[in-house]
Amino acid sequence: MLVMQIAQTVLAVAVAPLLTGMVRKVKARLQYRTGPSVFQPYRDLSRLFTKETVVAHNASWLFCAAPTFVFAATWVAAAQVPTISFDVALSPAAELIALFGILTSARFALALAGLDIGTSFGGIGSSREVMIASIAEPAILMLIFVLALVAGSTRLTDIAFFVASPSVGLRISLLLAFVGLAMIAIAESGRIPVDNPATHLELTMVHEAMVLEYSGRHLALIELAAALKLLFYVSLISAVFVPWGIAPSGGTFVQYIIAMTLYLFKLAVAAATLAFFEISIAKMRVFRVPHFIGAALMLVLLAALLRLVSQSF
Amino acid sequence: MIPLVPDIAHFLAGLLVLLSFVQLYQSRLPPLISIFAAQSLALATFVAWQAQIQHAPHLVITAGITLIFKVMIIPLALHGLIRSLKIHRTVETVVGIGPAMMTGMALVGLSMALMMRTSAAVDVVVREDIAFALSVVLLGLLMMVTRRNAVSQAIGFMSLENGLVLAGTGAKGMPLVVEISVAFSVLIAFIVVGIFIFRIRERFDTVDIAVLDRFRGERP
């Protein structure tokens, strides 16, 4: 249904800064700070959009094109995840492999843009980002295999529909896949044990180092893309593991309202959980990140193994 | 809710295996003890659930023993122990998280393959629960092999014992006497290990097991 697709697409970009704001707010409250309002990211973005955009002298066209591409690709990926309705116009195209491919191309563009200016910070950020990607992507592929083994399809709407059906009870492979996906999501969206979105300390930053040269509307697009990426992972986890409440095809207006309310509720729960996790753990050294993602890879591998041994997992 | 009944037992058994892996991953002592407590809590829930579905009231006693000793007394005592020895901030040198996790995976695969072969006639759910129990036992052994610190070796031993209780309660008809004796042997083992840790500490000023090898002259 085209209307629902448009609604989901608009909702994704409208809610993404709110999710980031909620995470920051909860985190501030947990640290006994008042913290900015949950709508602060919207104000930041609108301010950045009106500011002058400064581009370095030796920047190529790639540097100016990358923010738009990164934003567009991340938005497309985030809009494909079923959040309100199973029956959307582009749901046949919402293959997990394609979605992660789109996200990877966005990361490729950003890594190139980090190298383009030739500053050392951009270079180190890109190299770290690619190092993380090279370990996270096998884990993601293995995760897709597990979900495909359990649900019999790599299409996201099919997986969500399958998990929502009452025939699926508690599955060990889904439990392991959930823990694995949560770890991958933390690493990929640059949250605390792997990367700190609030730091500008050269020893620790990954994503911030790549985008250090950006300003004005370029920076706004990149920040919005980062928020959308976090929203993508949260929506993905909620669509695959807690898909209850998503309206079926041909749903009534009330069902859509309920689905929307539940979705916002899930986002709030995810924001609180993420904030709690972030304040209770310290940022790890860059060279320990492979251990972290490696553990996620092992868990997902274990899920695949159990699933192959017996159908009841 | 009927189709969920075997699933919940299965799920809790899988959770025990998952927590064994988390133990393998964790190299600092205080979180390790907390994870052990969480694993014991999962075990107590599993046993209580088995008591419900097997209509075996004596399993409730087993669950109670697990809850009191392994979720409360032993973790609290261990926390006190490492704080009094001032080793609660030590980060342990593990064999390496990657190799340890890989070996753990292989052990889970091994116990699955073994159980599928040897007990083909048994009910599927029970068979897989026992395969999980064997995995927990083997992962506990792996934990004892890969760690050099006496405290984490003791935790590995008790997590191994969690696997034994899982195996004993997953199948029907284990007498209560066996369970109680197992539970108390673990408590006694804990006391022995505690004294042992204090003695090594007094003698060598460390709880690193490697010094024992040097003391016996096995390693130069």
Side-chain angles (χ1 to χ4, degrees):
Chain A
M1 225 162 71
L2 193 60
V3 183
M4 287 320 293
Q5 180 66 59
I6 293 169
Q8 273 193 15
T9 311
V10 174
L11 184 73
V13 80
V15 174
L18 181 67
L19 178 66
T20 311
M22 280 196 291
V23 175
R24 285 185 194 158
K25 182 75 177 175
V26 177
K27 211 170 152 182
R29 296 299 309 184
L30 286 172
Q31 292 169 332
Y32 291 105
R33 291 188 284 122
T34 311
S37 144
V38 290
F39 299 106
Q40 187 62 34
Y42 294 100
R43 293 177 203 141
D44 290 348
L45 285 175
S46 67
R47 194 191 66 221
L48 280 174
F49 269 115
T50 52
K51 279 205 163 189
E52 187 195 0
T53 305
V54 182
V55 177
H57 288 301
N58 54 352
S60 71
W61 61 271
L62 198 82
F63 184 78
C64 301
T68 320
F69 179 76
V70 170
F71 169 68
T74 319
W75 192 10
V76 167
Q80 301 298 316
V81 183
T83 51
I84 323 175
S85 169
F86 281 125
D87 182 31
V88 291
L90 285 177
S91 70
E95 296 273 340
L96 271 178
I97 298 176
L99 289 189
F100 281 107
I102 291 171
L103 279 182
T104 309
S105 63
R107 155 181 277 155
F108 174 68
L110 200 59
L112 279 188
L115 291 169
D116 185 55
I117 296 283
T119 61
S120 47
F121 276 145
I124 200 170
S126 299
S127 110
R128 285 174 179 173
E129 178 84 1
V130 173
M131 179 194 80
I132 293 175
S134 66
I135 325 159
E137 257 140 46
I140 290 172
L141 279 181
M142 196 49 82
L143 178 87
I144 296 174
F145 292 153
V146 172
L147 293 178
L149 278 171
V150 171
S153 167
T154 55
R155 196 180 300 152
L156 200 43
T157 41
D158 290 353
I159 296 173
F161 196 71
F162 177 79
V163 176
S165 67
S167 65
V168 184
L170 295 161
R171 293 282 179 90
I172 313 291
S173 49
L174 283 180
L175 170 76
L176 292 169
F178 170 72
V179 178
L181 179 58
M183 290 168 85
I184 294 167
I186 285 166
E188 288 276 298
S189 53
R191 303 309 300 193
I192 252 183
V194 174
D195 183 13
N196 187 350
T199 187
H200 284 94
L201 187 70
E202 64 265 29
L203 282 176
T204 57
M205 56 185 179
V206 180
H207 182 260
E208 297 305 311
M210 279 191 294
V211 304
L212 209 55
E213 297 292 324
Y214 279 112
S215 59
R217 61 187 156 77
H218 288 159
L219 186 60
L221 282 177
I222 283 179
E223 301 248 304
L224 194 53
L228 270 171
K229 198 168 181 183
L230 182 64
L231 182 87
F232 168 78
Y233 277 103
V234 171
S235 309
L236 183 69
I237 290 175
S238 73
V240 172
F241 297 104
V242 274
W244 295 281
I246 300 178
S249 56
T252 58
F253 184 70
V254 180
Q255 274 178 319
Y256 288 130
I257 296 295
I258 293 173
M260 178 117 165
T261 321
L262 266 176
Y263 176 59
L264 290 177
F265 175 70
K266 287 176 197 167
L267 286 188
V269 171
T273 317
L274 183 62
F276 183 76
F277 181 72
E278 285 200 334
I279 62 147
S280 44
I281 199 163
K283 164 93 177 61
M284 53 175 75
R285 292 196 302 144
V286 173
F287 294 108
R288 272 196 63 201
V289 171
H291 289 167
F292 182 76
I293 309 177
L297 174 63
M298 303 279 175
L299 288 180
V300 184
L301 201 63
L302 185 66
L305 193 113
L306 290 179
R307 181 67 196 177
L308 285 174
V309 168
S310 162
Q311 288 296 306
S312 69
F313 286 118
Chain B
M1 292 307 279
I2 298 299
L4 272 180
V5 168
D7 275 1
I8 289 177
H10 222 145
F11 190 77
L12 288 168
L15 195 63
L16 254 80
V17 178
L18 177 64
L19 287 170
S20 278
F21 271 102
V22 180
Q23 282 182 1
L24 270 183
Y25 177 78
Q26 184 58 258
S27 57
R28 285 181 306 140
L29 285 177
L32 189 63
I33 296 169
S34 308
I35 295 161
F36 168 72
Q39 193 189 33
S40 306
L41 184 64
L43 178 71
T45 320
F46 175 84
V47 175
W49 179 255
Q50 287 290 336
Q52 195 68 29
I53 56 175
Q54 288 181 12
H55 304 293
H58 69 277
L59 284 181
V60 177
I61 302 174
T62 312
I65 292 174
T66 310
L67 191 68
I68 292 168
F69 284 122
K70 288 204 194 143
V71 183
M72 298 170 193
I73 296 180
I74 292 183
L76 282 177
L78 276 176
H79 273 296
L81 181 71
I82 60 169
R83 208 166 296 131
S84 68
L85 290 177
K86 294 196 171 50
I87 52 172
H88 56 286
R89 287 202 181 273
T90 48
V91 175
E92 201 181 359
T93 47
V94 192
V95 165
I97 292 167
M101 296 277 285
M102 283 293 244
T103 319
M105 299 272 309
L107 288 177
V108 174
L110 176 75
S111 54
M112 287 293 159
L114 193 69
M115 282 300 154
M116 294 298 146
R117 294 273 164 74
T118 52
S119 54
V122 191
D123 176 41
V124 179
V125 176
V126 172
R127 184 173 66 191
E128 283 162 4
D129 279 349
I130 292 179
F132 276 140
L134 186 59
S135 314
V136 174
V137 169
L138 290 176
L139 288 172
L141 276 176
L142 180 66
M143 173 101 176
M144 293 177 74
V145 171
T146 54
R147 298 303 170 96
R148 298 173 60 185
N149 188 314
V151 178
S152 29
Q153 291 200 349
I155 291 175
F157 175 73
M158 285 183 288
S159 135
L160 183 157
E161 200 272 339
N162 276 352
L164 288 182
V165 175
L166 182 65
T169 52
K172 273 188 187 173
M174 176 146 133
L176 184 60
V177 183
V178 181
E179 284 157 23
I180 290 181
S181 60
V182 165
F184 278 102
S185 70
V186 163
L187 195 66
I188 289 163
F190 169 71
I191 295 166
V192 171
V193 165
I195 296 168
F196 171 64
I197 291 171
F198 266 111
R199 291 288 297 164
I200 317 178
R201 170 81 178 183
E202 274 175 19
R203 186 83 175 71
F204 302 106
D205 267 356
T206 175
V207 285
D208 191 335
I209 293 296
V211 295
L212 285 183
D213 294 345
R214 280 197 289 279
F215 181 67
R216 288 198 300 259
E218 287 174 5
R219 198 183 291 172

